[in-house]
Amino acid sequence: MSSTNNDEAKVADMCCASCGIAEVDEIKQLKKCDDCDLVRYCSDKCQEDHRPNHEAMCKERATDLRQEILFRQPESTHLGDCPICFLPLSLDPNKFVSYYCCSKVICHGCTAANMMRQKKEAVFKISRGNQPTKKKRIEANDPMALRDKGRTHYFDGDYERAFEYCSKAAELGDMEAHCYLYMMYEAGLGVEKDKGKETYHLEEAAIGGHPRARHSLGCNEVGLAFQEDSDSILNRGVKHWIIAAKLGDDDSIVRLKEGFKDGFVSKEEFASALRGHQAAVDATKSPQREEAEKLSTVEDDKLRFGKLLSCSIDYAYCQPHSSNFERFESRRQVQIEPTGGICSTSPVLCRFDLFVLPIQAQMLFASALLPALE
């Protein structure tokens, strides 16, 4: 009986669901329904005529497909791999550098290795001559540049412009842009509050491998589950946390640990999440990155300054203004004040309370401070 049903399904798949015409090699090609992928049509007219009979089944199947995609474990995070060493990038934003001239994200291990090579070869040049500016990248519809421009407008309170740029970036596949759209729809910033669109953008970011978006989905589901006393919704929330944990998200591990103590996360689920989390963290490690981490945590007394350091810098352009590298000429003025007058600077990273210097400034400071590290 089952074989008969399978044969009938195969025959139906080869025929138009409306008029019944069969697909014959190159003569007549049928196209699948875009939403459900279950039936085929020979023309747009047949698809429109068959819509009343197919609509209910199509919506149900489309929902099932969406859930399959939503709860599929992503192969990597939204950050992907470093294009130089091909290892997964860490979720810690202090362990990679974003280059807006080429829209590449480089791990701090490769950055440090290159700086050490330059120092060894006595080469330390920074040329911004013909490299494209962020404005040019925006004009070229670069998603990373569009999202960063939208983020700038977001924090400046210009939510309409932020929505415009983030929408373009999201359409081009930027997961961070989806997160900003989620926040705007949630709070009604620049747009009307819309629960459906809010959830959609959060889910899109999670599907794209954004661990924080996935973690937020889990928190939303678990909170709703306790309100409605629903085990099915609770299980969905736990699944989100497990997926996020296996991407390396620390907060999801904490939530799962609490859930295990409270009894709604099983021992097997917690153990699986722990193993996946450790594997994700280990995958981001390398000797070069470990060496870079050592350089970025040099004892403060080697790099202690008696006064606060002031810099004038720009996100997109940074040019040496004087030989002591204490000032930079730029279009945007930003005051940097390290905690307690201590600048924990290294060839890899410049750590400040409220701001992380762009890579050009990091390299300039590194060239001045390399003797202090020896």
Side-chain angles (χ1 to χ4, degrees):
M1 181 65 70
S2 60
S3 61
T4 303
N5 291 337
N6 291 336
D7 292 339
E8 290 177 354
K10 289 180 180 179
V11 172
D13 193 45
M14 297 171 61
C15 300
C16 175
S18 180
C19 67
I21 190 172
E23 181 178 62
V24 182
D25 298 330
E26 301 293 333
I27 301 174
K28 191 70 177 177
Q29 293 291 317
L30 304 181
K31 65 176 185 177
K32 290 184 178 182
C33 173
D34 294 332
D35 295 327
C36 68
D37 202 29
L38 285 177
V39 295
R40 299 189 178 199
Y41 299 102
C42 64
S43 65
D44 292 338
K45 183 179 182 303
C46 278
Q47 185 173 6
E48 190 63 32
D49 292 342
H50 191 249
R51 189 179 300 279
N53 298 328
H54 177 61
E55 190 170 11
M57 181 179 69
C58 183
K59 287 183 177 179
E60 182 179 354
R61 176 57 180 164
T63 301
D64 292 340
L65 286 174
R66 176 71 175 179
Q67 294 305 305
E68 289 178 14
I69 295 171
L70 180 61
F71 287 100
R72 187 181 300 158
Q73 181 72 41
E75 293 183 2
S76 65
T77 70
H78 65 296
L79 295 171
D81 300 338
C82 172
I84 297 177
C85 64
F86 301 107
L87 294 177
L89 289 165
S90 171
L91 296 180
D92 185 347
N94 290 329
K95 294 185 178 181
F96 58 81
V97 179
S98 299
Y99 289 85
Y100 290 100
C101 57
C102 59
S103 295
K104 300 296 183 183
V105 181
I106 310 298
C107 74
H108 69 331
C110 291
T111 304
N114 183 54
M115 289 179 178
M116 295 301 101
R117 177 191 64 81
Q118 290 176 332
K119 182 195 174 197
K120 183 178 180 180
E121 297 175 3
V123 176
F124 208 93
K125 296 181 180 180
I126 298 176
S127 174
R128 301 291 294 176
N130 297 320
Q131 295 187 24
T133 62
K134 188 182 296 186
K135 182 180 178 181
K136 290 184 178 179
R137 300 303 303 175
I138 291 173
E139 292 172 352
N141 283 330
D142 184 278
M144 183 176 172
L146 287 167
R147 177 248 298 161
D148 190 67
K149 186 69 172 178
R151 176 173 57 190
T152 300
H153 286 302
Y154 180 89
F155 287 109
D156 287 344
D158 188 354
Y159 300 115
E160 292 183 1
R161 297 290 300 280
F163 180 80
E164 176 187 348
Y165 282 103
C166 287
S167 294
K168 290 180 181 179
E171 289 174 3
L172 294 169
D174 189 272
M175 298 304 114
E176 288 282 358
H178 278 294
C179 290
Y180 280 101
L181 291 173
Y182 152 71
M183 291 188 291
M184 283 187 271
Y185 277 115
E186 180 187 37
L189 301 174
V191 292
E192 293 290 333
K193 287 186 178 182
D194 190 316
K195 188 66 177 177
K197 292 181 179 180
E198 167 195 335
T199 303
Y200 168 77
H201 286 293
L202 192 61
E203 288 182 349
E204 284 296 302
I207 291 170
H210 198 293
R212 298 305 303 165
R214 181 71 69 173
H215 174 78
S216 297
L217 276 176
C219 292
N220 293 346
E221 295 278 18
V222 171
L224 181 62
F226 284 125
Q227 289 179 9
E228 300 185 1
D229 194 21
S230 171
D231 289 338
S232 62
I233 298 178
L234 184 62
N235 290 334
R236 286 168 56 89
V238 171
K239 287 180 181 178
H240 283 307
W241 283 342
I242 292 174
I243 293 173
K246 290 182 178 180
L247 290 173
D249 184 65
D250 295 334
D251 290 340
S252 293
I253 282 290
V254 174
R255 294 284 188 174
L256 289 168
K257 182 179 179 180
E258 294 171 353
F260 176 64
K261 290 180 179 179
D262 293 338
F264 64 86
V265 175
S266 69
K267 181 178 179 180
E268 292 76 16
E269 289 173 329
F270 186 43
S272 174
L274 280 174
R275 288 193 296 270
H277 179 269
Q278 189 60 51
V281 172
D282 290 343
T284 65
K285 296 180 179 180
S286 72
Q288 290 81 8
R289 293 183 182 183
E290 290 176 2
E291 184 65 24
E293 188 67 21
K294 292 177 183 178
L295 289 174
S296 65
T297 55
V298 176
E299 296 178 7
D300 287 338
D301 58 358
K302 290 185 180 180
L303 300 168
R304 192 177 299 270
F305 289 94
K307 61 180 180 178
L308 297 182
L309 187 65
S310 297
C311 306
S312 300
I313 63 174
D314 185 358
Y315 288 104
Y317 184 81
C318 190
Q319 178 70 24
H321 183 69
S322 61
S323 59
N324 60 10
F325 305 119
E326 291 185 358
R327 296 185 64 248
F328 296 89
E329 183 179 23
S330 69
R331 297 161 299 189
R332 167 182 273 179
Q333 304 296 314
V334 181
Q335 184 74 17
I336 309 301
E337 296 187 353
T339 304
I342 299 173
C343 177
S344 181
T345 314
S346 78
V348 183
L349 195 63
C350 291
R351 296 180 184 272
F352 296 95
D353 268 353
L354 302 176
F355 196 88
V356 178
L357 291 177
I359 183 58
Q360 293 82 16
Q362 294 179 25
M363 294 174 72
L364 288 169
F365 277 110
S367 66
L369 295 172
L370 276 173
L373 299 176
E374 297 177 342

